[in-house]
Structures are given as structure tokens and as C-alpha cells.
Amino acid sequence: MNLRSPKVLIRILMLLFLLGTSTPAQAVYGGSDATNNPIVVGILPAQSATQAGCSGALVAPRIIFTAAHCLTGDPSQLWVAQPGSDLRDLSKVRIQAERFFTPVDFSVKTFPYQNDFGVITLKTAFDGYTPLLFASLSDITQWATAGDSVIHVGYGCTSMVDKPPCKPTSPTPNEFTTTFEKVTPPQFLTLKPQTFSMTKISVQKTICGGDSGSPVLKSQAGSWIYIGAQSSSNGAGCTPTCEINCVATQGLPAANLEMVQEAFSSVKMQLATPSAVQKKTSITCVKGKLTKKITALKPACPSGYKKK
């Protein structure tokens, strides 16, 4: 079998990512422990489950962002664990899903998935959630062009296998840092522009089949910024195979603002319009004949300089 054949790769990807909520998902491989991360959650197939079916992000007390392909069943069958918790600890809070929101153009009938982003509303609220900023499409384009760093974090496999599916998922979350990718591989050319982002992965550091819905995050000026929900990849996935340009794709809330607003409204909350991300600005400072240009979130002139 030619593992570099596009047709073979697509079949492998279908096995990796058409897992739904009834099959245990796989998550970040080659990363570091992320227990107590305030954002990542395990999406469970039962209240007492100790392994996640998908991952997600707590973005408001009753709002979870995840992948749409994780939301194909009955909402009442899913439970969400306290962010960053060890899923073996049944004393940690678990809250039942109330409702799903998925884009009207999303379908599990074709792969790669178009607009693979979804929202879960919960029956009750988590206490003490960490407020997030939401990246706009222009933010994501800018960061991708610059190849900025991002963080993958999710629950799942922590060992390599020859072929999928991988072994039981991790009861604790793991994370790794990578960068955006701006060159779209052939496998993803059918996806609509401005509905997805891409991140670089490798055999050594990768998301795996079923890391579905796990958040891609960026840290800036002391704030967490939510970018998207893990959807698919064109290789790796806890296996020893990866193309030269191996990437993962994410569905974006920024491409589904009306749907996200509807979800927030259903739990009587207001969505902060993306982007709340702070922008750097520049000022010019002078000291006699000396001139300095200062670029920062809150630029200030050095001692002895005055703003021009």
C-alpha cells in the first residue's frame, strides 16, 4: 500500500476522525501534562466515564466550544467534566449537555468536514471559569501569515501505534506548542476559505484521531485567546506517518458568529464581538536628535525621551 497516495491518506483520515461521540477519542501526543488547565474539558459519553469521547473548551459558564462532528447524538447523553480535571476523579464536577448548535452547512457525509465547529450549552453552570478572548478572522489571517505560535491541548492517547485506532485515551489533558500554517495542503483545498485555520504537526508532536473539538489557543498579554476547535489532519495522529507538509485543521467560531450568538442568547449571555484581542500600536519618541519608534500594546517612551 502506498501510504503517500492521496486516496489512501483520505481513507486513513476517515478512520481517524469519523469517531463521533460513541468512540473514545485520542488526543495530544508528544506534549506535556496540562492538568488544571482552566479551559480544556473532556466530553464524556456518561456521567461516570473516565475517558473522553471528544475534547472541548469552556468559554463561558454554560458554553462549550468543540467540533461539530462530535455532536451527532442526543445532547442528554453527553456530560462535560470540570476543566483540566483528572477524569478518574469522580468527585470533580460533571455537567450534562442541554443543547447542540452546529452550522447549517455542516455534514458528516463528506470529508474533510466543512465548517466543523459546534457549541454545547450545559444544563447548569461551572463556577470560576476563566474568561477568554475570541480571535477574529483578521487576527487569524495575520497570525497565520506571521507563523505565530499556538497551543494544542486535549485529552487522549500518549503512545504511538502502527495504525489507528490508538490505545486508550489519557484521563488527564496534555498540550504542545506549535505554529500556524499558511500553505493549504491538497487534501484541504475543498474547504471554504475563512472557515478554518491550520497548525503544523509532526510525528513527534501531533493531535490524534478524536482529539476532535480540542481547543487551539494563543496566549497574549496575559490573556487566553480562543482560535478554533480541532477538526482533522493530513497525517501523523499517533502513527509514524506524516507528510512533508503535515497540518491539522480547526473549525472557527469567527466563521459562525450568528450561531455562536444564538447559543449565548439561549443561556441569557452576551457574546463579546471578536476580536477583543488587543492590538499593538506604535509611537515615535525623541531625545534631542535621537529618534526611537516604540511598538507595544501600551507603548511608552523610554526615560529621557518625549513622545513626538
Side-chain angles (χ1 to χ4, degrees):
M1 181 187 300
N2 180 6
L3 291 178
R4 294 186 180 274
S5 163
K7 290 184 178 179
V8 172
L9 284 168
I10 289 296
R11 285 196 288 270
I12 291 173
L13 286 168
M14 290 292 285
L15 288 172
L16 280 169
F17 290 98
L18 288 174
L19 295 180
T21 58
S22 62
T23 305
Q26 327 313 330
V28 171
Y29 169 82
S32 58
D33 180 70
T35 303
N36 298 321
N37 178 284
I39 298 164
V40 68
V41 297
I43 300 175
L44 310 173
Q47 185 176 14
S48 60
T50 57
Q51 288 183 301
C54 280
S55 298
L58 180 70
V59 301
R62 289 179 60 191
I63 300 285
I64 303 296
F65 284 175
T66 187
H69 77 261
C70 293
L71 308 180
T72 58
D74 181 347
S76 66
Q77 294 178 347
L78 291 187
W79 292 75
V80 175
Q82 183 175 322
S85 61
D86 185 329
L87 301 181
R88 295 167 296 190
D89 185 352
L90 299 183
S91 69
K92 298 296 185 181
V93 175
R94 279 127 190 262
I95 299 178
Q96 193 173 23
E98 180 177 61
R99 188 176 172 188
F100 295 159
F101 295 81
T102 57
V104 294
D105 59 346
F106 171 77
S107 173
V108 293
K109 294 181 180 179
T110 58
F111 189 88
Y113 302 125
Q114 293 283 358
N115 212 2
D116 191 10
F117 174 77
V119 182
I120 302 172
T121 57
L122 303 173
K123 289 189 174 181
T124 57
F126 279 105
D127 293 329
Y129 87 104
T130 297
L132 287 173
L133 305 176
F134 304 119
S136 70
L137 292 175
S138 61
D139 291 327
I140 295 167
T141 299
Q142 176 184 333
W143 296 332
T145 300
D148 277 14
S149 63
V150 289
I151 299 169
H152 278 276
V153 56
Y155 287 85
C157 288
T158 56
S159 60
M160 188 73 68
V161 294
D162 290 332
K163 59 182 180 180
C166 62
K167 295 177 181 179
T169 58
S170 172
T172 56
N174 293 276
E175 66 178 29
F176 72 91
T177 300
T178 184
T179 60
F180 279 106
E181 173 58 66
K182 62 182 178 181
V183 179
T184 304
Q187 292 88 347
F188 300 128
L189 291 177
T190 58
L191 297 179
K192 298 175 184 176
Q194 298 286 288
T195 63
F196 66 102
S197 60
M198 296 183 296
T199 52
K200 293 182 179 180
I201 56 174
S202 67
V203 171
Q204 291 75 30
K205 290 187 177 182
T206 182
I207 49 82
C208 300
D211 183 24
S212 305
S214 60
V216 169
L217 305 168
K218 186 172 177 60
S219 179
Q220 181 172 297
S223 297
W224 285 105
I225 305 167
Y226 182 93
I227 296 162
Q230 180 53 43
S231 173
S232 60
S233 79
N234 68 337
C238 285
T239 68
T241 303
C242 189
E243 293 192 337
I244 295 173
N245 183 24
C246 201
V247 306
T249 66
Q250 299 85 39
L252 306 178
N256 297 279
L257 290 181
E258 289 187 10
M259 183 189 80
V260 173
Q261 184 61 66
E262 181 184 1
F264 270 71
S265 296
S266 74
V267 295
K268 297 179 173 56
M269 288 194 66
Q270 184 67 37
L271 171 70
T273 302
S275 163
V277 179
Q278 293 175 282
K279 303 292 185 182
K280 292 183 179 180
T281 57
S282 297
I283 61 173
T284 300
C285 302
V286 295
K287 180 182 179 181
K289 294 182 178 180
L290 299 177
T291 300
K292 283 189 177 183
K293 183 178 181 180
I294 308 297
T295 301
L297 294 174
K298 295 181 179 180
C301 290
S303 176
Y305 283 78
K306 293 183 178 181
K307 185 176 177 181
K308 184 176 179 180

